[in-house]
Amino acid sequence: MNGAQQRFEERHPWGLQVPLICSDGATVAYSWKRQIAGQAAASAVERTRLAMKAFTDQKKRYFPKFGEPHEEEDIVGVNEKRAKVSSTEDDISSQKFSLLHVLKHWQGVEGSGMVISEFNRLEWAKHSSAYTLKKRSLNVMSAISGSSDTVSRPSLDASSVKNVAILEVSVPAVFKAVISLFPSGSVMPDAVSVVSSDEVCINAHLGTTSAQAVFQRVSECATSALYTFRQASSSSRASPLQLLLHWLYTYRSLFSKPCSRCKRFLALDGPSDSLLPPLVRPAQQILRIFASSASVKLEDLNDEKLVAYHMSCISKEDLL
């Protein structure tokens, strides 16, 4: 300790602080070890910088023509051109893939039967708590009209969409899906939960589980599809949110479409030990539809053109 105190007083040659001392005089070893590790990392960075400098000097010595000024200028010019092209493409894609564009597109679609409500985090918390206090016995007409729990909001604009973090997608008498967006106002969903029309989904970003087995399995399929859409967003013509909304739209026939393989409506599901309808709508079929056409219409998502499988009937070939 005397040697450490002496080096500490002589202009800090090690760049370390004096270790802490407990009341009984024992040295706190963890503090000393942490400081030594920090200095080792700093010295490693310094050695790397010196090695890169030596390599650059040798390259200039043995390869004098490599990296001449005119070549560097050409490279800079090419990089500037690429940056301009990419910025233009980003502006076009940002307008096409913006959340405002997606919401207005679905508001303008007539006959879809799918209602999308947007909330920020605080509004969603108030909406969920108010919904829990209401009675669950709602008649069919109020559910179809959407007058049971809709909140009057101003028209969508660019400023209001920036704070949108939760989307509630409801198909009356079928299901209700809650999509969490991160960051707010983007078209990148980070979580999705599917519940029945009369259930409450409070923690949308945590993945609320439905009390019914059929919607628990649909939520698992939705999470898998969301992962696929996020992975394919770089090469797809649509944003992950657009792909997810079109995929959810195919579930409007959840209780009316038979299995495309066994032609039955119900089949035994092993994990839930229940008779469930065809739950699997492969995400790849939505990607193929968007890859074949720039503008997808509801006619392209006809039940006759799409397939649906039971969990026990799906195969690996069907997922490709």
Side-chain angles (χ1 to χ4, degrees), residues 89-196:
E89 293 177 353
D90 292 342
D91 294 339
I92 297 174
S93 61
S94 62
Q95 294 177 1
K96 183 179 180 180
F97 293 163
S98 64
L99 180 59
L100 183 62
H101 173 81
V102 175
L103 295 178
K104 286 188 175 181
H105 168 73
W106 281 99
Q107 285 182 354
V109 175
E110 297 181 357
S112 64
M114 194 166 71
V115 181
I116 302 177
S117 303
E118 64 283 347
F119 304 89
N120 57 39
R121 300 289 180 188
L122 183 59
E123 286 179 348
W124 174 252
K126 293 180 180 179
H127 172 74
S128 301
S129 59
Y131 191 86
T132 55
L133 298 177
K134 293 182 179 180
K135 295 182 179 180
R136 303 291 181 85
S137 58
L138 301 175
N139 53 26
V140 178
M141 294 302 296
S142 63
I144 295 176
S145 62
S147 60
S148 58
D149 55 350
T150 54
V151 181
S152 60
R153 292 186 191 83
S155 59
L156 293 175
D157 54 7
S159 59
S160 61
V161 168
K162 291 181 180 179
N163 298 323
V164 173
I166 302 293
L167 295 180
E168 184 181 274
V169 182
S170 61
V171 177
V174 182
F175 70 89
K176 178 173 61 178
V178 180
I179 304 173
S180 174
L181 303 178
F182 185 80
S184 300
S186 67
V187 290
M188 297 298 291
D190 67 329
V192 56
S193 299
V194 181
V195 297
S196 64

Side-chain angles (χ1 to χ4, degrees), residues 44-82:
V45 173
E46 182 66 20
R47 288 196 298 269
T48 304
R49 187 184 67 81
L50 295 175
M52 291 298 297
K53 183 178 182 300
F55 175 75
T56 304
D57 295 340
Q58 291 180 3
K59 183 180 67 173
K60 292 180 180 179
R61 178 181 177 184
Y62 294 104
F63 303 97
K65 295 183 180 181
F66 185 79
E68 291 183 352
H70 65 276
E71 294 181 357
E72 295 178 356
E73 292 176 0
D74 295 340
I75 294 174
V76 171
V78 171
N79 292 334
E80 290 179 354
K81 292 180 181 178
R82 290 179 180 176

